[in-house]
């Protein structure tokens, strides 16, 4: 998969009294980028919540390294690459940059669960087929 | 209703790069205090979400004045008074203090809606009877 | 001032277990729109924090009415109008829409304080002159 | 170090439209527990921000596994153990439980930096001496 770039502007809500972005908020930035990818593939997460055969993407594990601190008004970019596509899981590499500077590097494992059952569930075929060629790029 | 006091400790997550509590986060503090009141009355909000006759309490309107700024590590208190109890709505006065100092003053109107219908719904009788004497205190 | 429109996409982080946007998060959306206005006027809030003559814009009071609930993936718009420009304060009307539907209506009074002194301070002349014609539009 | 237990109540603000705690918010719970430990050792983080020789504790890296989902109103416990104490860094193991059920397991590496310099800095001697016996317990 080619890298997909998602822009983030840093607002007051994202910062803390240290004058920098609060560490947990980078996870929100990463999630926005993943949700945007799904939306671009035509996958509406909200609609899935109400369908009997709906699926949800949940974070199964995550690790993140903090290299530099982002600040108020910063113009960041989340760079996302699908590292591995399984039948009921995905692994993303997601790094955050300010220009050329690496702010954080991270890896996120996503599990797919039934919206009703909350049990592990394969990715629906049509979505899987949309993700696959792109994963192989 | 007598004043009900709910303690809040200020953590990094609550602050912003101005070195003070981010203005929207006082609304979270106020909501924690209201949720705690409901819990003390034996009303479990999560259980309501799944019941056909469940009700949810939603904020219909809110106003807040910011008098002083709270800071990291501060020990605050949300002081809540039920100003008015209607059949399908409640009005709370909620002020936040640091010791004797008033940090914010606020007023919140809550509407009651069906968990499924999302339409205005009277407060269930048993809950209403629990709130009433307390509202009159 | 003409209305200024600022787009907001709703992500998981913005929602709560009621399936809708958590009420305090609309305040974040409104703040993003105000910060963006300042940025467009060439006013860098982060730079101000470190200057001896820097100023900060702080929320002095706010009221908000919740008309409808926004949901995950919604495409919203914060519509901001400067209602009143004072020497050390501003009043904004900020309403949030989903298409033609009004989600929230709000009014925010902003005070201007010294970044060091934390005391009320007039808006710097150059910024004031940039805001004024626009306020009168 | 013995395990230190820190209670967390789940409020609406912590949840998302999936009906569960939003994944990034567990990091906030973990941070509250760490801040509370420092406070119990008499270390005031806010005071440090203004001192020339002040130090800040920043997250250098973090990994977390999500085993189960916590829900609204849940009564959780963050169990924290200091795994390693260095001169300018600490490694914490932090697991979150609901009763006996493990919700998340995590490991957090903390770096110590100068409040002014933002450069790596040894833990002040008096704080180090307070942490050490406790780390060895």
């Amino acid at each position: 998969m080619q890298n997909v770039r998602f822009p983030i502007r840093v607002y007051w809500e994202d910062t803390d009294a240290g004058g920098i972005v609060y560490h947990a908020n980078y996870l929100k930035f990463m999630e926005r980028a993943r949700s945007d990818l799904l939306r671009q593939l035509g996958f509406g997460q909200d609609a899935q919540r109400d369908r009997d055969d709906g699926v949800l993407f949940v974070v199964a594990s995550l690790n993140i390294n903090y290299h530099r601190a982002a600040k108020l008004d910063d113009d960041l970019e989340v760079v996302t690459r699908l590292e591995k596509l399984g039948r009921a899981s995905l692994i993303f590499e997601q790094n955050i940059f300010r220009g050329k500077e690496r702010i954080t590097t991270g890896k996120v494992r996503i599990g797919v669960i039934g919206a009703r059952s909350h049990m592990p569930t394969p990715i629906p075929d049509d979505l899987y087929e949309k993700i696959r060629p792109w994963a192989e790029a």
Side-chain angles (χ1 to χ4, degrees), chain A:
Chain A
M1 174 175 144
Q2 74 270 34
N3 288 335
V4 180
R5 305 173 104 69
F6 183 81
I8 297 280
R9 172 72 67 177
V10 177
Y11 290 101
W12 286 102
E13 67 188 89
D14 303 312
T15 60
D16 69 21
I20 58 178
V21 170
Y22 181 67
H23 74 287
N25 290 340
Y26 294 102
L27 275 62
K28 297 184 180 180
F29 300 166
M30 293 157 74
E31 194 267 311
R32 291 182 204 170
R34 294 194 306 272
S35 285
D36 210 63
L37 280 176
L38 289 174
R39 187 183 305 114
Q40 284 178 34
L41 294 173
F43 186 76
Q45 294 183 88
D46 195 56
Q48 293 288 320
R49 292 173 48 232
D50 295 326
R51 289 173 52 172
D52 281 334
D53 63 344
V55 298
L56 297 176
F57 290 76
V58 294
V59 181
S61 70
L62 182 150
N63 69 63
I64 180 166
N65 286 276
Y66 299 90
H67 305 292
R68 273 183 171 65
K71 293 186 308 173
L72 184 64
D73 283 345
D74 272 357
D75 214 347
L76 307 177
E77 222 173 20
V78 184
V79 179
T80 300
R81 196 175 65 84
L82 181 55
E83 193 176 293
K84 185 153 178 269
L85 171 64
R87 280 305 325 200
S89 70
L90 306 94
I91 298 176
F92 289 100
E93 186 187 274
Q94 296 194 282
N95 301 329
I96 302 180
F97 290 87
R98 179 178 48 209
K100 301 276 180 211
E101 265 186 310
R102 235 172 24 165
I103 303 294
T104 61
T105 49
K107 197 159 285 191
V108 186
R109 195 161 61 79
I110 299 292
V112 184
I113 61 170
R116 296 259 184 264
S117 67
H118 281 208
M119 301 300 288
T121 301
I123 300 173
D125 285 343
D126 53 339
L127 180 61
Y128 187 83
E129 291 309 321
K130 274 182 196 151
I131 298 177
R132 204 172 52 167
W134 184 52
E136 288 164 351

